[in-house]
Amino acid sequence: QVQLVESGGGLVKPGGSLRLSCAASGFTFSDYYMSWFRQAPGKGLEWVSYIGSSGSTMYYADSVKGRFTISRDNAKNSLYLQMDSLRAEDTAVYYCARLGQLAAAGTTDYWGQGTLVTVSS
Amino acid sequence: DIQMTQSPSSLSASVGDRVTITCRASQGISNYLAWFQQKPGKAPKSLIYAASSLQSGVPSKFSGSGSGTDFTLTISSLQPEDFATYYCQQYNSYPPTFGPGTKVEIK
């Protein structure tokens, strides 16, 4: 079955960096586009970034552009999010998600359990 | 960016009730509309894509409809496990955007 397991969250000071990982299993990782979303405490869902199946295409939300970098290692079935210059408003649970194919292309079909990032001094 | 709104923001319903949630886009998005369910402390779960197609494994008590700017999610007979927050999301254009959510509570 499809599994997505995030790791790497934690407490970091403003201006600091953190790298999130998402380990994928149960499907052919290299065939799928992947995405990161986040949810601030008590708030709604926000899309953060997207990466194509080969890793050559990436999109970012304006709120993280220039500070966050999405990448993937298809040999390791892993997705990453490098987060630099972190701000208090980046505090959230970060989810990795798989994008669907064919008729479901463009939206997510499976989500990980999330990892909490807290930016505070 | 395309703005998504949902109504109501919350509702109270009883087990067995039929529940309908409405989602509206600030501009036409064809049928590029998805619905998600989220329970407290849990990850979102994908329910519906392309406005009306059920994701694999999602029970048929969930149904979606609409096109253009107006969409609905219907739960035909509410069960205890359905009490959650429901979000719509447009994926017609980047950035993909979510509605603010509708919290379905037990009456």
Side-chain angles (χ1 to χ4, degrees):
Chain A
Q1 71 282 22
V2 174
Q3 278 201 306
L4 300 168
V5 180
E6 301 94 336
S7 60
L11 175 63
V12 61
K13 289 182 168 54
S17 297
L18 213 54
R19 188 195 197 206
L20 305 184
S21 299
C22 173
S25 61
F27 64 102
T28 304
F29 181 70
S30 58
D31 285 348
Y32 287 82
Y33 296 179
M34 300 293 294
S35 195
W36 287 99
F37 294 84
R38 68 184 181 183
Q39 186 170 35
K43 303 296 185 182
L45 297 165
E46 179 188 14
W47 169 75
V48 172
S49 182
Y50 145 104
I51 188 166
S53 55
S54 67
S56 59
T57 303
M58 291 88 78
Y59 288 104
Y60 298 93
D62 286 346
S63 57
V64 307
K65 200 174 295 182
R67 300 187 300 121
F68 289 11
T69 303
I70 191 172
S71 63
R72 64 192 296 161
D73 185 335
N74 286 343
K76 294 183 177 180
N77 292 335
S78 293
L79 175 72
Y80 305 102
L81 186 68
Q82 177 67 40
M83 304 186 296
D84 298 320
S85 302
L86 282 161
R87 306 167 180 167
E89 55 264 36
D90 295 318
T91 294
V93 175
Y94 284 74
Y95 297 101
C96 75
R98 190 183 84 168
L99 272 66
Q101 295 184 322
L102 302 175
T107 190
T108 57
D109 55 7
Y110 288 94
W111 296 65
Q113 86 288 349
T115 187
L116 175 63
V117 172
T118 303
V119 184
S120 174
S121 54
Chain B
D1 298 0
I2 296 175
Q3 307 303 315
M4 305 299 292
T5 57
Q6 288 181 235
S7 60
S9 56
S10 65
L11 65 90
S12 294
S14 300
V15 172
D17 283 353
R18 180 183 180 90
V19 167
T20 297
I21 299 167
T22 297
C23 175
R24 177 165 289 175
S26 60
Q27 62 190 73
I29 58 171
S30 185
N31 69 334
Y32 294 104
L33 191 284
W35 289 97
F36 302 90
Q37 175 194 65
Q38 188 177 35
K39 298 179 180 177
K42 300 295 187 182
K45 176 185 177 182
S46 302
L47 296 178
I48 286 172
Y49 64 94
S52 61
S53 297
L54 291 180
Q55 290 281 1
S56 174
V58 174
S60 58
K61 63 181 172 181
F62 292 97
S63 64
S65 66
S67 183
T69 60
D70 295 315
F71 303 86
T72 59
L73 171 71
T74 299
I75 309 171
S76 61
S77 178
L78 205 62
Q79 297 303 304
E81 63 269 20
D82 302 328
F83 291 94
T85 299
Y86 293 84
Y87 295 93
C88 62
Q89 179 216 30
Q90 69 80 20
Y91 55 100
N92 178 73
S93 61
Y94 271 84
T97 47
F98 291 87
T102 295
K103 188 173 184 179
V104 177
E105 298 175 302
I106 301 173
K107 182 182 284 185

